[in-house]
Amino acid sequence: MPMETKMPNPYPEGKKEEDPNVSEDKLVSEVRNLQEAWVLYSPLTNMSYAECEEENYNDQIRLYAGREDAEADSKKLEEKGIRVTVRELKTVEVLVPVKAEHPDGEKKKLYLNQVRQYLSTLPFIGINAVFYKPKGQEAKTLELCRLLPEDFEKKVGENALYQPNLQLTGLYLMQEARRKKEYVDKKQLQALDEEFSSNLVRSRLFLAVLPPKGQEKEQKIDLKTCQLPYLKHQSGDRFFPVFTDIWEFQKYTNGKKNLRPIQVPFSEISKFWVQDAKAYMINPMGSSIPITREMIPKILERFLPPKEA
């Protein structure tokens, strides 16, 4: 939600931080008050670049107080065959309705802090830490729970509309699978594929359905009467879009209110199909993971425990 923010500059002009080993509490405060920052994104997944921190195995993203540091790290990753881009987060002025029930009425001015907004999205993709680089100081890993409202991560994890572990393992899988061929670690790729598949067989995926005209707002609809949308690749191939969570579904629909979400166990997903589709496409606006219809029974047989099969 947009919030008006007027935060003081943590480093006033003419004053420099004397202690190079800034306490963690001070860094947490600094991150919370950032008015602008830079992060690394992966063009391979259209999502944040995620990595497993080596010491405590935190799943983290990289956040920078200065563009130069972000660009320097992006070049180092590129040398390892890891493609990333640098994105700026800032505080922007927005106009919102004074009264929510009258969206076209009088507007008021608010300031949207994109850094805070960005941090609040990380629990939805399974990230639990931020590798933060202040200007002129060493980077440090901060637990995400210290940067967000109390119990925010827990609430996301307990919400059936989101599946952070599935999102995260999908990101790791696609980051490795789409690296330059000479850098791909085949053993690592196989391990990531198995971890993702293990999460996938226990998941419930979202489908987008289009109810018959006039029934868009009805609580109960007959799925047999609904249409299923498809994606058409520039090659001409068709794909059937499915989603790990309601956030990915909303990114796909992009305000198209007639499309409705339904949640289906992965074990039953093959009951839904778009004619002439080449494969399912998991999170087409994000990691874009293709799964053919023929792969589903094989994945279930291999990764679903006998008592659940």
Side-chain angles (χ1 to χ4, degrees):
M1 179 179 294
M3 296 179 61
E4 186 169 2
T5 55
K6 294 182 179 179
M7 300 296 180
N9 182 350
Y11 301 111
E13 186 176 357
K15 182 178 180 180
K16 295 183 179 180
E17 180 61 43
E18 297 178 355
D19 183 1
N21 300 311
V22 182
S23 70
E24 186 169 309
D25 288 345
K26 194 166 187 177
L27 284 181
V28 167
S29 177
E30 180 176 328
V31 171
R32 286 178 173 176
N33 293 330
L34 284 172
Q35 297 298 292
E36 64 176 358
W38 287 263
V39 294
L40 299 187
Y41 263 70
S42 170
L44 308 179
T45 63
N46 295 315
M47 302 284 281
S48 296
Y49 170 66
E51 61 186 0
C52 183
E53 181 255 332
E54 295 181 356
E55 183 176 348
N56 298 309
Y57 302 102
N58 285 308
D59 298 299
Q60 65 184 21
I61 57 89
R62 299 193 188 189
L63 179 74
Y64 303 85
R67 180 191 292 273
E68 296 79 6
D69 288 327
E71 291 177 343
D73 273 5
S74 71
K75 291 179 181 178
K76 292 178 183 178
L77 290 171
E78 186 73 32
E79 292 171 357
K80 299 178 182 179
I82 302 173
R83 292 171 54 201
V84 294
T85 59
V86 176
R87 289 196 180 182
E88 181 182 10
L89 304 174
K90 53 188 178 180
T91 301
V92 296
E93 183 181 297
V94 294
L95 294 175
V96 299
V98 174
K99 296 182 178 180
E101 61 273 21
H102 299 297
D104 298 324
E106 183 182 356
K107 300 291 193 301
K108 60 182 178 180
K109 184 187 300 183
L110 294 178
Y111 294 92
L112 175 64
N113 186 311
Q114 293 179 339
V115 181
R116 293 181 182 179
Q117 184 185 48
Y118 170 75
L119 293 174
S120 70
T121 67
L122 298 179
F124 298 101
I125 59 173
I127 296 297
N128 71 331
V130 171
F131 186 69
Y132 175 57
K133 177 70 170 67
K135 290 182 179 179
Q137 298 165 2
E138 293 297 318
K140 186 175 181 62
T141 294
L142 304 173
E143 292 184 2
L144 184 62
C145 62
R146 299 198 63 193
L147 305 173
L148 295 176
E150 186 177 358
D151 290 335
F152 186 82
E153 287 180 284
K154 182 180 178 182
K155 291 176 182 178
V156 172
E158 293 174 348
N159 192 326
L161 297 179
Y162 304 101
Q163 299 179 104
N165 285 339
L166 184 60
Q167 270 270 31
L168 182 66
T169 51
L171 291 181
Y172 280 142
L173 173 62
M174 290 297 100
Q175 283 181 181
E176 183 66 31
R178 292 171 180 156
R179 288 176 72 178
K180 295 179 181 178
K181 290 184 179 181
E182 61 267 32
Y183 293 98
V184 174
D185 183 332
K186 293 184 178 179
K187 289 186 178 179
Q188 173 72 353
L189 182 61
Q190 181 179 353
L192 292 171
D193 183 44
E194 291 178 354
E195 187 174 5
F196 173 72
S197 297
S198 179
N199 285 326
L200 184 62
V201 297
R202 295 170 176 81
S203 70
R204 294 176 60 87
L205 298 179
F206 283 90
L207 308 180
V209 300
L210 180 62
K213 192 172 182 179
Q215 299 183 28
E216 294 87 355
K217 296 184 179 181
E218 292 186 11
Q219 288 190 345
K220 294 184 178 181
I221 53 175
D222 184 356
L223 293 180
K224 294 180 180 179
T225 65
C226 295
Q227 296 180 22
L228 298 173
Y230 64 87
L231 296 167
K232 192 171 183 179
H233 192 265
Q234 59 185 10
S235 65
D237 291 331
R238 288 186 176 191
F239 292 91
F240 184 4
V242 294
F243 314 92
T244 58
D245 52 56
I246 199 67
W247 182 38
E248 290 290 338
F249 169 83
Q250 291 169 342
K251 286 197 290 184
Y252 170 77
T253 58
N254 192 26
K256 298 175 184 176
K257 297 182 180 180
N258 290 340
L259 288 174
R260 298 265 295 273
I262 62 168
Q263 205 171 12
V264 178
F266 176 75
S267 58
E268 298 179 14
I269 201 71
S270 58
K271 295 179 182 178
F272 301 86
W273 188 243
V274 174
Q275 188 175 1
D276 298 326
K278 185 175 183 179
Y280 296 92
M281 186 65 74
I282 301 176
N283 294 347
M285 310 306 291
S287 48
S288 298
I289 306 173
I291 301 287
T292 66
R293 202 178 189 187
E294 293 74 24
M295 289 170 62
I296 292 176
K298 297 177 182 179
I299 293 174
L300 289 170
E301 181 179 2
R302 182 178 179 188
F303 294 98
L304 195 64
K307 63 180 181 180
E308 298 181 36

